[in-house]
């Protein structure tokens, strides 16, 4: 894979409370990308935990952005604990992993890159949602 493609494989990990509206997720995404001067078209996919598989806000966001949305189990996400910028005890009690957004972003970036990934935007929290962005290490 060329460095060029690796540089442009960016993925967003999302965590949210039940019933979180799409508009909240979109506002968080737009805000984070703007703050870090990243173009929306650089984002290749979205990721979350499989417990959120039926979350309408996440599904709707993926449709709006025309991006794939992939889910990971808490076991898969737990492997990224040492790489998290923030470990949430509440997240662990609810999901079995210490940070959904960061772990999901790292898991998906590694899967797509077939190489180590790193957080490019660590956990951002906004209203009922969290977001992180990962890409090539």
């Amino acid at each position: 894979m060329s460095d060029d493609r690796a540089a442009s494989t960016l993925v967003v990990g999302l965590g949210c409370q039940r019933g979180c509206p799409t508009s909240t997720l979109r506002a968080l995404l737009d805000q984070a990308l703007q703050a870090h001067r990243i173009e929306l078209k650089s984002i290749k996919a979205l990721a979350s935990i499989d417990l959120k598989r039926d979350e309408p806000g996440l599904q709707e966001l993926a449709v709006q952005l025309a991006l794939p949305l992939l889910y990971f189990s808490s076991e898969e996400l737990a492997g990224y604990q040492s790489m998290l910028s923030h470990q949430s005890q509440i997240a662990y009690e609810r999901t079995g992993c210490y940070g959904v957004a960061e772990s999901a972003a790292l898991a998906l970036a590694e899967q797509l890159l077939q190489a180590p990934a790193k957080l490019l935007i660590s956990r951002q929290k906004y209203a009922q949602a969290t977001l992180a962005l990962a890409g090539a290490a």
Side-chain angles (χ1 to χ4, degrees):
M1 181 188 326
S2 70
D3 290 342
D4 202 35
R5 187 167 141 221
S8 65
T9 301
L10 300 177
V11 300
V12 171
L14 293 161
C16 65
Q17 292 172 10
R18 282 271 166 239
C20 178
T22 307
S23 56
T24 297
L25 294 165
R26 183 63 195 258
L28 177 58
L29 177 63
D30 289 344
Q31 194 182 313
L33 294 179
Q34 205 171 353
H36 293 83
R37 295 191 172 84
I38 294 169
E39 290 187 47
L40 185 58
K41 68 175 193 247
S42 307
I43 307 301
K44 297 293 179 257
L46 307 175
S48 192
I49 192 167
D50 60 5
L51 298 170
K52 300 292 178 190
R53 200 180 289 280
D54 58 353
E55 196 55 52
L58 285 173
Q59 293 171 350
E60 179 59 35
L61 181 67
V63 170
Q64 269 184 24
L65 301 174
L67 288 172
L69 172 57
L70 289 89
Y71 300 96
F72 294 89
S73 69
S74 58
E75 293 78 29
E76 289 172 303
L77 297 182
Y80 295 91
Q81 184 179 336
S82 65
M83 296 170 73
L84 303 183
S85 72
H86 171 88
Q87 297 192 9
S88 164
Q89 192 59 42
I90 293 169
Y92 183 76
E93 285 164 15
R94 292 185 183 158
T95 67
C97 75
Y98 283 99
V100 169
E102 289 187 346
S103 304
L106 288 164
L108 181 56
E110 287 196 351
Q111 184 176 306
L112 294 178
L113 291 162
Q114 295 294 298
K118 70 174 181 196
L119 289 170
L120 303 174
I121 300 179
S122 58
R123 178 179 177 269
Q124 309 283 305
K125 186 158 177 32
Y126 175 91
Q128 308 150 289
T130 55
L131 170 147
L133 187 134

